[in-house]
Amino acid sequence: MTTSAWRTEAAAPHETTALVRYFASARAATGVDSEVLTVPAGASVADAVAALRERHGAGLSTVLDAASFLLDGIAVRDTAITVPDGAELDVLPPFAGG
């Protein structure tokens, strides 16, 4: 699904939709590259992450404990920030390398 295609799916006024993109071990834990997540309007990044934990269970939960996040391409330093409707939330597990 392309970004423009998923954005045409309008959320109800009391909901927010975000495209969640998974990388590395997060992708392996979910079995998908990306998915659309719907959360209540005004939900924070922490709320979105909690919804992902509930949706995908223990495998992803472990990855999320160590992951960092990008919201519309900007590093999330405070998970209390609100997820705007139509946002992209990237799940970035720690990467090895040097």
Side-chain angles (χ1 to χ4, degrees), residues 23-76:
F23 296 88
S25 59
R27 180 182 297 154
T30 62
V32 297
D33 293 338
S34 64
E35 65 183 329
V36 175
L37 177 68
T38 302
V39 292
S44 66
V45 171
D47 297 329
V49 170
L52 295 173
R53 287 179 195 279
E54 187 173 312
R55 180 180 287 184
H56 292 288
L60 182 61
S61 187
T62 300
V63 174
L64 293 172
D65 288 342
S68 58
F69 305 95
L70 298 179
L71 184 61
D72 288 333
I74 299 171
V76 173

